[in-house]
Amino acid sequence: MGGVLDNNIKFVTGVGEVRAKLLEKELGIVTLRDMLYHFPFRYIDRTRLYKIGEIDEHTSAAYVQFRGRMVGKAYAGEGRKRRFSIFVADETGQAELIWFQGIKWAEKRFEQGREYVIFGRPSLFRNSLSMVHPEVELVEKALSRKVESGLQGIYSTTEKLSTALGTKGIYNIMCNLWGVVRGHIDEYMPEYMRRKYGLLTLEEALYNIHFPQSPEKLRQAQYRLKFDELFGLQLNIQALRSARIERHDGFLFTRVGDLFNRFYNERLPFELTEGQKSVIREIRQDTISGQQMNRLLQGDVGSGKTVVALATMLLAADNGFQACMMAPTELLARQHYATISRMTEGIGARVAVLTGTTRKRERDAILAELAAGEIDILVGTHALIEDRVQFANLGLVIIDEQHRFGVEQRARLWTKNSQPPHILVMTATPIPRTLAMTLYGDLDVSAIKGLPPGRQPVKTVHYFESARLRLFGFMREQIKQGRQVYIVYPLIKESEKMDYKNLEEGFDAIVRDFPLPDYRVSVCHGKMKPADKEESMRQFKEGEADILVATSVIEVGVDVPNATVMVIESAERFGLAQLHQLRGRVGRGAQQSYCILMSDEKLSKESAKRLEAMCQTTDGFELAELDLKLRGAGDINGTLQSGVALDLKIANPTYDNQIVQLTQQVAIALLTADPQLAAPQHIALRTLRDRYAQRYGEDFSMIS
Ligand code: ADP
Ligand code: MG
């Protein structure tokens, strides 16, 4: 593709310098191509004219169009609060049209007694219909206007843009744009592929995405454009993957030796679950294959990922390799170290821990031992990636809660041996498989299915503030039975001050209602010194405190099986993944556990849905899927902090899972047959591949 589509949008009729600047600033649109790929997010049937009386809560929130005769007007407010209303009516009812800006313009536009076609987003209050800043047109004019198609696209704009150029303005530009680009949209998909997968031509798809000639054509257009996006991504992912496999051999962990066997037979305090065993088998396969392992291990909170990690590290040690495990927080690193030390006691594995707070003398000793190959397993935080941390023979890297690390941080561990070590990244924030295939196509994905036996699902309820006394009563009851309670407060950068205030007030209230000597309360949050944090966690862990008041620092990984109650304050402010993680802190022992979501009475629709979902299911995968649906495709990047800028305009890997799977297969087959896309019928596909190449830049691959 080239030529016309690369031209600047300002030359299109109806745009010009000023609007072009706005389009660039607000939507990043510079060229005709950019504009062409600004798709509608919704369509309305412009041939449909509602009666005012027909517009109810089913139609509100969407855009509607209706006819109404002006019957009156009104002014209200002063200065910046000034508003202007026009009242219109038909035989079924009356509606109020409201302007806060452009009042002069609106005044001039209307004439008492004349009839208009009104288009916009209705809102209903006590059954009376109103519409802010609608588009209006005299009936005669609206009905005589030729429309490009019955289904009209609604384009997203921004606040700034919407005054200069509403969704209708964008639509008009799109019509003019089409006149310019028609016949200049080059196809890159080979004919045989289009036929095989039933794809419209690119030009037809782009035309119908903006101006659908029928609902069926619209569906086909969406399919083609989603196919292109996901196929473009896969072409890159699969190319990176084969390059990695070709470039690097994998260390061989062929021996199952003393360390592994003694751990398994003498130290492991429980039988592994089938889920854990099957993942260990997969890892075994990888580490004897001669190829370098790059595996993502998903397992719900509490599924027992730590033991799997440990077993794998012992395999490495049995074969003369060192292993390291990086955790996102000091707390978690220390906890892993404690667990691993306990589980390997007396079997001869040499284990050490290194974090930001490790004293110099101890650190120097560890670094020396590490370089001399005298340490088998090193657990730690970000401190592990520092340059001075040098291994004698690093064969395996494990990253816990991998979403907490940036791509670059992770990648620095890969280079700590001349040949990259095997890599296992673990996450308890499960993402649907097809999304994983899109985001992390370069990783093999395993999942630990099921939880260790004897776990009962955590009972979850949602309380409003008015139920606080009931909550306190319940807490007393549980503590009397010897159980422990977490109380967690949100902590968000933007509102940090207020959040700490809430936590402090909450803490004071708890201490008042749960006084010594019957109750012991500790507190743990990010502002405390690491040593104090650790001390208060220790107290809680060892049962010296009944209640732990904390911020979400305890979100990941903390393991206190005797804790049975998780109270989440202002639960509406947490995301689903976080709520699920927090809930995962309880229900780890044999006792029935409870999660209590406290919230304000006033809730947005989405918050209410999240809390409801939490009460209905404890399945992390189900929640993850729901979460993505609630958030919508646009938010996927932020959610997963994957380090990959997945700028999908139309495909949603959560919904479009069939296309994800299909395009992956197609990409693998194509690249196997023609890796460089050198065949004449494939050369044009490079356009598509390269469009997504930047997004998956070099460091997308775990190994660079
Ligand atoms: P996560 O997957 O969330 O990291 P952990 O590894 O912290 O989970 O394990 C959660 C708890 O379950 C720990 O107390 C651990 O000792 C225990 N556990 C792990 N595997 C088993 C098993 N197979 N049987 C019983 N308990 C187990
Ligand atoms: Mg864990």
Side-chain angles (χ1 to χ4, degrees):
M1 241 193 283
V4 174
L5 291 193
D6 289 317
N7 287 349
N8 196 298
I9 186 74
K10 71 181 169 198
F11 301 116
V12 172
T13 315
V15 185
E17 292 284 350
V18 177
R19 285 174 165 178
K21 279 225 175 73
L22 258 175
L23 281 169
E24 175 170 9
K25 192 153 162 266
E26 298 290 311
L27 298 173
I29 291 173
V30 180
T31 64
L32 303 195
R33 180 181 298 102
D34 297 339
M35 191 72 185
L36 204 52
Y37 278 82
H38 185 61
F39 301 147
F41 67 94
R42 179 189 286 143
Y43 298 85
I44 55 137
D45 187 351
R46 287 227 79 157
T47 55
R48 167 97 206 251
L49 280 168
Y50 283 84
K51 295 284 177 213
I52 291 175
E54 282 178 312
I55 301 169
D56 55 20
E57 59 279 6
H58 299 294
T59 35
S60 68
Y63 284 82
V64 293
Q65 181 174 252
F66 65 96
R67 282 166 75 150
R69 202 173 286 283
M70 173 174 172
V71 294
K73 61 179 172 180
Y75 297 86
E78 286 291 321
R80 292 183 54 209
K81 292 232 174 88
R82 214 158 89 91
R83 61 185 256 177
F84 172 62
S85 301
I86 288 281
F87 296 93
V88 293
D90 66 8
E91 66 279 12
T92 65
Q94 183 168 319
E96 181 181 5
L97 314 177
I98 302 167
W99 281 265
F100 298 101
Q101 280 160 8
I103 292 179
K104 276 224 179 77
W105 173 87
E107 276 174 321
K108 270 205 220 121
R109 184 119 198 171
F110 283 90
E111 236 178 274
Q112 183 79 10
R114 291 196 74 171
E115 201 183 2
Y116 298 85
V117 170
I118 296 133
F119 170 76
R121 206 191 256 277
S123 67
L124 281 166
F125 183 67
R126 297 217 179 102
N127 266 336
S128 92
L129 175 68
S130 66
M131 204 174 259
V132 175
H133 293 178
E135 292 173 10
V136 286
E137 215 170 3
L138 278 168
V139 161
E140 302 78 42
K141 196 168 166 223
L143 298 185
S144 68
R145 187 162 41 84
K146 173 180 164 294
V147 285
E148 200 59 59
S149 68
L151 284 173
Q152 186 182 315
I154 304 293
Y155 295 89
S156 62
T157 64
T158 62
E159 199 164 321
K160 274 221 182 94
L161 202 55
S162 71
T163 34
L165 199 68
T167 177
K168 193 159 146 200
I170 296 185
Y171 178 80
N172 289 338
I173 292 176
M174 214 57 93
C175 294
N176 298 338
L177 173 69
W178 194 259
V180 181
V181 300
R182 169 183 301 153
H184 295 283
I185 297 170
D186 295 337
E187 182 60 79
Y188 41 72
M189 197 71 80
E191 171 82 33
Y192 80 90
M193 282 179 72
R194 277 205 301 110
R195 215 166 311 124
K196 188 160 175 194
Y197 304 111
L199 304 171
L200 296 183
T201 63
L202 186 57
E203 175 150 340
E204 207 180 352
L206 286 168
Y207 181 65
N208 279 285
I209 204 77
H210 293 293
F211 314 111
Q213 298 303 298
S214 68
E216 175 58 16
K217 271 278 186 306
L218 173 59
R219 204 193 51 72
Q220 292 173 344
Q222 287 167 331
Y223 186 80
R224 162 73 206 247
L225 295 167
K226 287 175 178 185
F227 189 98
D228 281 18
E229 281 190 341
L230 295 168
F231 187 46
L233 292 177
Q234 286 296 336
L235 284 175
N236 283 280
I237 294 173
Q238 298 311 326
L240 280 168
R241 181 187 171 81
S242 17
R244 174 176 63 79
I245 290 173
E246 199 151 294
R247 193 146 27 113
H248 307 293
D249 286 336
F251 293 126
L252 291 173
F253 297 176
T254 31
R255 234 159 61 93
V256 181
D258 265 3
L259 290 173
F260 184 90
N261 283 326
R262 291 191 61 191
F263 156 73
Y264 198 84
N265 299 323
E266 298 167 25
R267 298 300 310 162
L268 194 59
F270 38 68
E271 177 76 12
L272 291 179
T273 64
E274 275 314 309
Q276 288 169 318
K277 283 185 193 164
S278 99
V279 170
I280 293 176
R281 274 196 294 272
E282 280 175 329
I283 294 171
R284 275 280 293 152
Q285 286 305 318
D286 286 353
T287 52
I288 59 175
S289 71
Q291 290 182 358
Q292 185 251 351
M293 173 174 80
N294 209 18
R295 189 169 279 282
L296 172 68
L297 172 56
Q298 302 194 358
D300 213 340
V301 252
S303 59
K305 292 184 290 296
T306 318
V307 208
V308 172
L310 176 55
T312 312
M313 292 195 285
L314 291 170
L315 273 176
D318 271 337
N319 290 276
F321 293 97
Q322 292 170 301
C324 73
M325 178 165 174
M326 183 161 80
T329 63
E330 169 104 23
L331 211 75
L332 205 51
R334 301 251 166 222
Q335 181 181 286
H336 282 325
Y337 174 68
T339 308
I340 290 171
S341 305
R342 181 162 37 83
M343 289 209 184
T344 55
E345 210 176 295
I347 67 170
R350 298 159 302 178
V351 185
V353 59
L354 183 70
T355 72
T357 63
T358 307
R359 294 269 160 73
K360 183 173 184 316
R361 181 178 305 178
E362 195 187 343
R363 188 181 65 215
D364 289 346
I366 290 174
L367 292 180
E369 283 168 24
L370 198 63
E374 287 157 11
I375 289 173
D376 300 312
I377 294 176
L378 181 63
V379 182
T381 55
H382 297 86
L384 297 186
I385 62 181
E386 289 171 18
D387 287 334
R388 61 183 173 204
V389 181
Q390 293 292 333
F391 294 81
N393 192 15
L394 182 64
L396 169 70
V397 167
I398 296 181
I399 311 242
D400 194 20
E401 308 297 349
Q402 61 87 28
H403 62 285
R404 290 295 185 104
F405 295 99
V407 173
E408 221 165 281
Q409 288 173 317
R410 299 185 305 221
R412 282 180 57 188
L413 279 174
W414 312 166
T415 57
K416 289 199 182 268
N417 202 344
S418 51
Q419 173 184 327
H422 292 300
I423 286 148
L424 182 68
V425 294
M426 310 201 292
T427 180
T429 308
I431 55 174
R433 205 179 112 73
T434 46
L435 182 56
M437 280 163 65
T438 321
L439 280 174
Y440 310 115
D442 192 28
L443 274 75
D444 295 309
V445 180
S446 312
I448 300 188
K449 303 212 175 66
L451 296 177
R455 299 271 176 83
Q456 303 173 48
V458 178
K459 284 192 181 149
T460 306
V461 291
H462 172 200
Y463 280 178
F464 293 122
E465 194 52 41
S466 51
R468 187 162 293 275
L469 281 182
R470 213 162 114 206
L471 168 69
F472 282 4
F474 177 69
M475 285 167 53
R476 284 198 190 91
E477 209 176 278
Q478 287 283 309
I479 294 171
K480 214 189 219 155
Q481 292 174 30
R483 311 278 167 267
Q484 291 165 281
V485 179
Y486 290 104
I487 304 179
V488 176
Y489 283 84
L491 178 62
I492 294 156
K493 268 225 175 73
E494 290 75 50
S495 53
E496 203 179 87
K497 249 195 177 148
M498 267 312 281
D499 287 348
Y500 271 117
K501 192 163 155 270
N502 291 343
L503 176 127
E504 271 155 30
E505 284 171 6
F507 179 68
D508 292 344
I510 290 292
V511 173
R512 247 192 336 268
D513 275 279
F514 294 83
L516 285 165
D518 291 346
Y519 302 98
R520 297 153 306 170
V521 185
S522 33
V523 62
C524 181
H525 58 71
K527 272 203 180 153
M528 289 161 60
K529 288 200 194 109
D532 295 343
K533 260 197 295 199
E534 211 176 297
E535 171 58 15
S536 89
M537 279 314 296
R538 188 201 59 76
Q539 284 174 0
F540 191 66
K541 246 186 133 142
E542 294 180 7
E544 291 167 23
D546 306 297
I547 300 177
L548 179 69
V549 178
T551 55
S552 36
V553 283
I554 59 156
E555 181 191 329
V556 279
V558 174
D559 191 29
V560 182
N562 189 50
T564 55
V565 183
M566 167 61 67
V567 180
I568 306 177
E569 298 286 350
S570 305
E572 72 273 20
R573 295 180 53 203
F574 288 93
L576 254 186
Q578 263 184 312
L579 290 173
H580 180 61
Q581 281 271 349
L582 285 168
R583 177 168 60 185
R585 298 308 108 215
V586 296
R588 309 195 134 226
Q591 312 298 332
Q592 175 63 55
S593 291
Y594 305 86
C595 175
I596 293 135
L597 307 168
M598 299 298 290
S599 89
D600 208 62
E601 313 244 348
K602 274 199 217 120
L603 287 177
S604 73
K605 248 194 208 148
E606 273 76 40
S607 306
K609 271 195 194 147
R610 282 201 301 273
L611 300 183
E612 192 189 312
M614 282 290 293
C615 296
Q616 273 166 10
T617 179
T618 51
D619 182 321
F621 280 88
E622 217 175 289
L623 287 170
E625 206 146 309
L626 184 77
D627 194 24
L628 287 167
K629 287 182 181 170
L630 285 179
R631 285 162 180 267
D635 222 23
I636 288 173
N637 315 327
T639 324
L640 299 168
Q641 300 162 19
S642 59
V644 181
L646 249 201
D647 183 16
L648 296 175
K649 291 195 188 315
I650 184 163
N652 178 337
T654 318
Y655 289 116
D656 302 320
N657 44 21
Q658 282 175 344
I659 312 181
V660 171
Q661 283 171 24
L662 175 63
T663 51
Q664 185 182 63
Q665 287 162 14
V666 178
I668 292 173
L670 176 65
L671 291 174
T672 311
D674 183 6
Q676 304 305 323
L677 301 178
Q681 73 272 32
H682 295 153
I683 284 183
L685 271 176
R686 293 177 180 178
T687 319
L688 182 62
R689 181 193 63 190
D690 297 346
R691 185 183 309 156
Y692 291 94
Q694 315 96 292
R695 304 201 177 128
Y696 270 111
E698 271 290 298
D699 58 1
F700 167 70
S701 182
M702 288 280 172
I703 312 289
S704 44

